[in-house]
Amino acid sequence: MRYRSPDLRTQDPEEYAKRIRTNPYLEEVYAHPDWIVVHPTPERFAEAWASRAQGCERIHLEIGCGSGRYLTEWARRHPQDAFLGLELRYKRLALSARKLQQRQLSNVLLMRERGEYFDEYFGPGSLDVLHVNFPDPWPKKGHAKNRLMSPEFLLRFRPYLRPEGEIRFKTDHPDYFAWVGETLRGLSEYRVLDDTDHLQHSVHAEENILTEFELLFRSKGDPPIGYLRAGIA
């Protein structure tokens, strides 16, 4: 059985009090129960997800949703769809929940969870879009095995996509972008639909939804961003 973070509020109140003094966002995530599942289990997810998934047209999963700008805007533009955002950092979850609450978006759920555990919450053939924006590129030699968009992950994820399902990927790391493109083209289960190593100067720029990272990049030289969209073969 894998490790799941304990709810220190009830299990160790003294330790919880210490932690919120150094990280107030730890306390804030519990103030948004309508949008955040802080200690997810399949049962807790199913209960929170039922109202969002019922009657929706497409189901989106964003791994590493950050502070929620990208996820929130997608959900606003596509109210007929349901969105799950996974994130580990308390501050980012709290900031995401603030955005959702301000806009009263009822088609989004956030969970404090790692992306590789997606299959604990979804069954095969149940997802339409996977969004992965600016994941850790693990640039050092020998660290590529730690990358999220690995051949192993992509093959494991494939059965969970519906027939018209797709993967959307963005990164500012050229080597990672090239590596992911080569990986997808080498897998018979996928086909690359769109591909540009300079999103800002491409035909996709107008419809691109900016993440917090992209806004930061614009103030620091605006480096080229790689964008790729892949479907199933």
Side-chain angles (χ1 to χ4, degrees):
M1 180 176 293
R2 74 175 177 90
Y3 172 79
R4 294 183 186 274
S5 63
D7 187 347
L8 295 176
R9 296 175 305 165
T10 57
Q11 297 182 27
D12 193 342
E14 185 176 345
E15 178 63 23
Y16 176 70
K18 291 179 182 178
R19 294 193 184 186
I20 62 175
R21 283 197 291 270
T22 58
N23 184 1
Y25 293 102
L26 170 58
E27 185 174 31
E28 185 177 348
V29 294
Y30 293 107
H32 301 282
D34 292 337
W35 284 278
I36 306 177
V37 180
V38 184
H39 303 284
T41 63
E43 295 75 21
R44 290 172 185 159
F45 167 73
E47 182 179 0
W49 185 246
S51 62
R52 292 164 171 83
Q54 185 176 8
C56 73
E57 291 186 9
R58 297 199 302 171
I59 293 179
H60 300 246
L61 170 64
E62 184 179 7
I63 295 178
C65 62
S67 300
R69 188 185 191 281
Y70 177 89
L71 184 66
T72 299
E73 184 59 18
W74 261 91
R76 186 191 68 80
R77 295 186 188 185
H78 302 276
Q80 74 281 3
D81 294 352
F83 297 81
L84 175 66
L86 304 184
E87 178 57 58
L88 291 176
R89 297 188 181 184
Y90 293 110
K91 180 177 180 179
R92 292 176 179 178
L93 283 168
L95 294 177
S96 294
R98 290 181 193 178
K99 293 180 178 70
L100 297 173
Q101 187 169 28
Q102 289 169 358
R103 295 162 179 77
Q104 287 298 299
L105 293 172
S106 59
N107 59 335
V108 185
L109 181 67
L110 305 170
M111 290 206 307
R112 187 173 183 268
E113 184 59 284
R114 302 183 68 87
E116 57 261 39
Y117 297 124
F118 70 90
D119 53 358
E120 294 188 7
Y121 307 102
F122 294 102
S126 59
L127 290 166
D128 294 284
V129 188
L130 170 65
H131 304 262
V132 179
N133 295 310
F134 306 100
D136 190 335
W138 291 96
K140 292 184 179 180
K141 187 176 181 180
H143 285 186
K145 64 180 182 296
N146 296 318
R147 290 173 170 174
L148 173 65
M149 299 289 280
S150 66
E152 295 76 18
F153 174 83
L154 292 166
L155 287 172
R156 188 160 65 91
F157 193 83
R158 165 62 184 83
Y160 291 81
L161 283 171
R162 290 173 176 162
E164 300 301 321
E166 61 184 50
I167 294 174
R168 292 172 174 256
F169 172 68
K170 289 195 285 188
T171 180
D172 64 317
H173 194 277
D175 290 342
Y176 193 7
F177 180 69
W179 186 80
V180 170
E182 291 172 6
T183 297
L184 284 165
R185 290 183 176 90
L187 297 174
S188 61
E189 291 81 1
Y190 291 96
R191 56 193 177 96
V192 174
L193 304 174
D194 296 310
D195 181 15
T196 175
D197 59 6
H198 204 320
L199 175 58
Q200 306 96 305
H201 292 174
S202 75
V203 296
H204 308 290
E206 185 175 349
E207 64 179 21
N208 179 44
I209 295 176
L210 299 174
T211 69
E212 285 87 0
F213 277 115
E214 286 172 276
L215 290 174
L216 179 63
F217 296 155
R218 287 190 169 186
S219 67
K220 295 186 176 182
D222 204 20
I225 293 169
Y227 164 73
L228 182 149
R229 184 172 70 95
I232 61 176

